[in-house]
Amino acid sequence: GEEVKPNPNSAALWHYTGHDANGDGKLDFEEVFHRSIGLVAIQDGILVTGDFSGLVHCLDARTGKLHWTHDMLASIWGSPLIADGKVYLGDEDGDVAVFALACQKKLLAENSMENAVYSAPVVSGGVLYISSRTHLFAIAPGGQ
């Protein structure tokens, strides 16, 4: 008995549920935006977010057009961090992926924290902080 009606007063610009990247007329697992509790991060018109199914989605923030996706192969609970032209995002397996902030996917590194990363990385005073389920890491250039 439910009915969907357009809302003429909506401020929504776009929505994203997935993208048929291979053009086969259906959305495969890797082409769907699954449920998420993490926030998005946006800089220079590029939006990045992760979902519980382990997919990282990079979109045009103005249009919602998909730039790329990446499968982390583990659930993503936290939000991405954008810092110094890079995107940092952790997963439940304890890996923190580092991508270039770009419209083309470029995975720069994947680092193991050896335990689940459920939160967002944070940067302050030139130090990157990453908390895993059991440890807090402070990472700085030159190991200061």
Side-chain angles (χ1 to χ4, degrees):
E2 294 182 15
E3 184 179 338
V4 177
K5 295 181 182 179
N7 179 355
N9 299 315
S10 174
L13 298 176
W14 55 264
H15 72 275
Y16 175 77
T17 56
H19 175 75
D20 184 13
N22 61 13
D24 67 358
K26 61 181 180 161
L27 294 178
D28 296 329
F29 174 83
E30 300 84 10
E31 299 172 330
V32 173
F33 180 71
H34 304 271
R35 63 191 176 111
S36 175
I37 61 170
L39 302 173
V40 302
I42 303 171
Q43 185 175 324
D44 299 332
I46 298 173
L47 178 151
V48 182
T49 192
D51 68 32
F52 276 150
S53 293
L55 298 177
V56 181
H57 304 265
C58 178
L59 309 168
D60 182 295
R62 291 175 187 86
T63 67
K65 177 185 173 285
L66 177 69
H67 291 308
W68 53 263
T69 59
H70 177 80
D71 192 348
M72 299 269 294
L73 303 174
S75 295
I76 299 169
W77 290 70
S79 304
L81 164 71
I82 297 175
D84 195 28
K86 298 174 189 72
V87 179
Y88 300 82
L89 188 58
D91 68 22
E92 194 168 39
D93 281 349
D95 296 322
V96 174
V98 183
F99 301 92
L101 179 65
C103 296
Q104 302 295 321
K105 180 171 76 170
K106 184 174 182 183
L107 179 63
L108 302 173
E110 194 167 59
N111 303 289
S112 176
M113 301 291 108
E114 299 184 5
N115 217 314
V117 176
Y118 291 121
S119 61
V122 176
V123 71
S124 179
V127 178
L128 174 66
Y129 297 92
I130 299 172
S131 61
S132 75
R133 196 173 68 178
T134 58
H135 291 79
L136 174 61
F137 298 88
I139 304 163
Q144 302 174 4

